[in-house]
Amino acid sequence: MLSSKEIRGSFIEFFKKQEHLFIPSWPVVPMGDETLLFTNAGMNQFKEYFLGHRAPSFKRAVNSQKCIRVSGKHNDLEEVGIDTYHHTFFEMLGNWSFDDYFKSESIDWAWKLLTGVYEIDPNRLWATVFAGDEEDNCPADKEAAELWTKLTGIAKERVLFCGRKDNFWEMGSTGPCGPCSEIHIDLGPERCDQKHVKGHQCKVNGGCSRFMELWNLVFIQYNRKPDGKLERLGANYVDTGAGLERLCAVLQGKESNYDTDLFLPIIRATEELAGKRYSSQLGNKTDNAFRVIADHIRTLTFAIADGVTPSNEGRGYVMRRLLRRAARFGRSLDLTEPFMHKLVDVVNKNMGDAFPEIRQRQEFVAAAIQAEEASFGRTLDRGLEIFAAAAQRAKHKKISGQDAFQLYDTYGFPLDLTQLMAREHGLAVDTDEFERLMQQQRQRARAAQKTYSLAAALTGVELPETDDSLKYAADSCKAVLLGWIDESGYKVKGQLATSDETTALVLDKTCFYAESGGQVGDVGMIKTEDAEFVVEATEKLADCVLHRGKLLSGTLYTGDQVTATVDKGRQATMKNHTATHLLQWALQQALGSSVRQQGSLVCSDYLRFDFTWPKALTKDELETIETKVQETIAANLPVTTAVLPIDEAKKLGAMALFGEKYGTSVRVIGIGARNKDEIKNALSKEFCGGTHVSNTGQIGGFAILKEESIASGVRRITALTGPGLVKHLLDRSKVVDALTEMLKAPAEQLAARVSKLLEDNKSLKKELKSGGGKTAGDVNSEANELFKSAVRAGEAYIIVGKLSPVDIEQARVAIDSLKKKAQSAAIVLGVPGEEGKVMLLAGVTDDLIKKGLSAGDIVKVIAPIVGGGGGGRPQMAQAGGKDASKLDEALEKAREMIAAKLS
C-alpha cells in the first residue's frame, strides 16, 4: 500500500520527468492577493500569469498546494466530520502548462499516472467532457472526447458529455475560463449511499457516493468579458487539480479519507488523550468529534505556521472559530482541559517533510493554540450552561438571536457553534435577529476581504515593466507617461482630463516606492508644464508600478515627459523602517531567538511591529529593548545594502520575513556593515526591499509608545522616531507645563502630587459609598423589612421589593446581607433613580441555582418591562431601565417567575 508521502512524491516526480518545474506551495495566506481570504486552489499563485499581467519564466509547473476552504463561496465547514471526504484543509496536486502543451498531453499523462504509476484498474475509470452551451455560443469539446478514446483506450460509452455546471471552469464572474475534463472512479455498487431513494440510478455526477471525481483537467482557452460574453484567449493554458486526500483513500483501499495515513495518526493520538475508541462510523457523534478534531488541527497548524493567529478580525477570526469549534467537540470526548496543542507534533511528524515550515514553527504554533484553548476554556463551561438555558426558553423550536448574541459577545461562541449545538437539540437559531445585533462585528470579521478593483479591468492585459530602481537613490526623476488605468482598463492612447475619479498612472520609470513588505507606498506629485497629478498611493501589479491618484489640473497625454516627485515624508518613513529592523534585533537580544516577526507597518508617522511572544513584556524588558535601540542609533552605525543570490544570503544568516515571496536574488540590509563583505558580521541583517537611511544616526531617536496583545501568542509594539518623536515629546512637554501651572508644583514633583490627589479622591469615594445620603443602617433596615414580608417556597425565601434611592454598591451589600440571613433565597430589588430611571438587582443562593434559577435569567426577563436590559452571573445580576413607572409590574413578574421555578 502506498503511503501519502509516496503518492504525493510520485505525482511530483512523474511530472518532473515530463520537464515540469516543481514550484513550492504558496502559504495558505495568499501573497499579494487581497481578493482571497485563504489560498483555496492550486492555481492561486499562478493567477497573474492567467490574467496576463506577467509572463512566466517557465512553461510547465507541478506542485502540491496547501488549501483552506472555510469561508465564502467554497465553504465545507458544516460538512466536516459528518461525511467521509469534506475538509477545511486539503492538498491539491496539480500540473500546469502556460501556452505550451494542451489537451492531448494532459489527458495522456493523467491516464498514464493513474493506471501506470498508481496501478488503478482502467476499467473503473470514467471521463467527462464539456457538452457545450448555447447561451454562451460555446461548442461541445469533441476534441477532448476523441482524445480520450484515442490516447487511453477507454471505451467510448465511458466518456460522457456533461453541462456547464460540471464541466466548465471559471476563475470568477470575469476572466480566464474554459472547458474541463474530469476523471471519475467507480468505487462499486456497495458504496452507493442513495439506495433508499426510489428510482435512483448510480451514475457519474448522479449524486451518490459510488462514483467519485479524482482529477479535474481544465483547458483555459476563453476569457469571460464584463458583458458576460466569451472570447478566445491569445494563448492556451492547462490547470489540473487532484485532491491528495481522495487519491490516498482510493490507493490505500479506504472508504473514508479519515481512515488514510493523513488523518489516522491524529485520530489515534486523540484516542490516547480521550481514552475513547474511534470506530469509523458515520452518524456516530463520538466518531464525528474525532473527525472534526483531526481536520481542524491540520488547518490550524498550517494557518498559524503561515502567520494567521486566532483573533477577532478577518483570517484570525476564522481560525478562532475553528479552534473553539474543535474544543467544543473535545468536550463530547470528555476532553475538558486544553488538548489540541498536543496534536501539533503529530501533524508535524506526518507532514513536516513535505512542508518544513510547520516544523520550523512548531513551538510557536503549539503555544498559540494552547493559549487560545486556555482562554476559551475559561468561558466554555459557563457558555454551555447559558446555551442550555436558552434552549429551554426557545420558542417555536428556535433559539433567540439575542441569546445567540450573548453567547458570542460574552462567552466567545461563534454563531456556527451555537447553530451546531442547536441542531443537536432539534432547534434552529433566529439568525435575522442575530445579524442585526452583530452587524458591527461582522463588518470587522470581513475586514480582511478587500477587493482589488483594478484587477477585473485588466484581464488579459500584460502591463509594462516599470524601472523603479531610482526609489533607492532619488526623490525626484524625469519619466515618460506610458498610459493610465481606470475602471474600463489600461489606456495607451488619448488624453486624461481633470476628474474626481481615481486613476493609476503608468510611467516608464519612477522613484516612487510601491507598497510592500510592511512599508506604505509613497505619495507625491507627477507634473508636466500644464498638468498636476497628485499621487495618493503607490502600488505594484506584477512588475508594473501604479501611481494611484487624481488629476488636479490640466490634461495629460500618453508620451508626455513628466516629473515625478516624492513627498518629503518619505525621509521619516526611511527612519522608521531602519528602526524597525533595529527593534527586531533588540527584541531577539532581550527575549531570545524564538521571537519572530508576524507583520509590520512602516509609515512616516510611526512604526508598528508584530512579533511572537506568549505574554506581555515587563517594564524592565521594554526599557532594555528601548535602550538597545537608542544606543545603536547613537553609535551612528553604517547601513549597507547588497543584492545577493538567495542561497548566499541565507548562508550569511540574513532573516527572511516568513510568507514573503522572494525571487532567486534578494536585497539584504546590513546594519553595522560598511560593505557587502561585512554583512555576515552585521548587527542586523534582513531580506528587505524597502527604503532605509544610510546610517543609524539619521534616525534621530527612538521611543516605544505602547506594547499590547493583538492575538494569542502575538504582541505588538508601536514606536516613534525622527519628526514623529520630536512632536510627541513637545506635546508631552506642553502637558507637563499645563500640570505644573495647574498644581503649582515643579515638574519633578508632579508624580507625587497627582498620586496624593488620587489617594484623596479614593478616600472621598469610600465615604460617599458608605453614606450617599443614606446610611448603611438605613439600607439594612429596609432590607430587613423586605425579609420579614418575604414569601416562603419550601425552605427558600422569595424576597422581592423596592429600596429607597441608593447607589449600586449599597444595593449589592443589601442582597449579600439577605442571602446570609435567609440561607436559601431568590432576591430581586428595584431601586428608583433620577429622571424616571430605575435599577434592578437580582441574587440567587447556590442551592437554588442547582434547581434551575439564575439571577441573570431573571434580570433578562424583567428588564425589558422597564425599558432596559442587562445580565450577569447566576449568583448576581443587574440591569438598568428607563421607565420607573413599570417597576411594580417588573417586580410582580419576578415573583411569578421565581414561584413557578420553585413550585
Side-chain angles (χ1 to χ4, degrees), residues 515-568:
E515 180 178 350
S516 178
Q519 181 175 330
V520 299
D522 283 334
V523 297
M525 297 292 292
I526 295 175
K527 298 181 180 180
T528 66
E529 290 184 0
D530 304 314
E532 287 191 349
F533 183 93
V534 60
V535 180
E536 298 170 335
T538 307
E539 302 162 354
K540 207 168 190 177
L541 186 58
D543 294 317
C544 183
V545 176
L546 309 180
H547 306 79
R548 281 182 184 258
K550 294 174 183 176
L551 185 59
L552 299 181
S553 63
T555 303
L556 288 172
Y557 301 86
T558 53
D560 274 352
Q561 297 286 328
V562 301
T563 300
T565 305
V566 178
D567 183 83
K568 62 183 180 180

Side-chain angles (χ1 to χ4, degrees), residues 220-284:
I220 302 174
Q221 60 193 79
Y222 298 107
N223 176 48
R224 176 80 65 184
K225 298 193 294 185
D227 63 6
K229 294 181 180 179
L230 293 179
E231 63 181 0
R232 281 298 298 247
L233 288 171
N236 291 326
Y237 303 98
V238 172
D239 168 17
T240 86
L244 177 64
E245 290 75 12
R246 290 187 179 190
L247 200 54
C248 285
V250 170
L251 296 178
Q252 293 177 7
K254 306 297 184 181
E255 293 190 8
S256 168
N257 293 358
Y258 292 97
D259 293 338
T260 69
D261 66 349
L262 288 168
F263 293 91
L264 212 51
I266 304 171
I267 291 173
R268 294 290 178 245
T270 310
E271 286 180 328
E272 292 299 316
L273 293 172
K276 297 180 182 292
R277 309 319 298 172
Y278 175 67
S279 61
S280 193
Q281 295 179 8
L282 296 179
N284 179 303

Side-chain angles (χ1 to χ4, degrees), residues 578-644:
T578 306
T580 302
H581 285 219
L582 288 177
L583 176 57
Q584 177 163 218
W585 165 79
L587 281 164
Q588 293 184 338
Q589 290 288 305
L591 305 177
S593 59
S594 62
V595 170
R596 287 287 183 271
Q597 181 175 352
Q598 286 295 106
S600 65
L601 174 66
V602 180
C603 61
S604 60
D605 296 326
Y606 62 91
L607 66 91
R608 199 175 70 199
F609 187 78
D610 302 337
F611 60 98
T612 58
W613 194 248
K615 57 187 177 182
L617 271 62
T618 65
K619 184 179 179 181
D620 287 344
E621 287 170 337
L622 287 170
E623 286 182 358
T624 298
I625 292 161
E626 196 172 55
T627 300
K628 283 182 179 293
V629 175
Q630 290 168 346
E631 289 175 348
T632 309
I633 292 171
N636 203 33
L637 298 178
V639 179
T640 294
T641 63
V643 177
L644 303 170

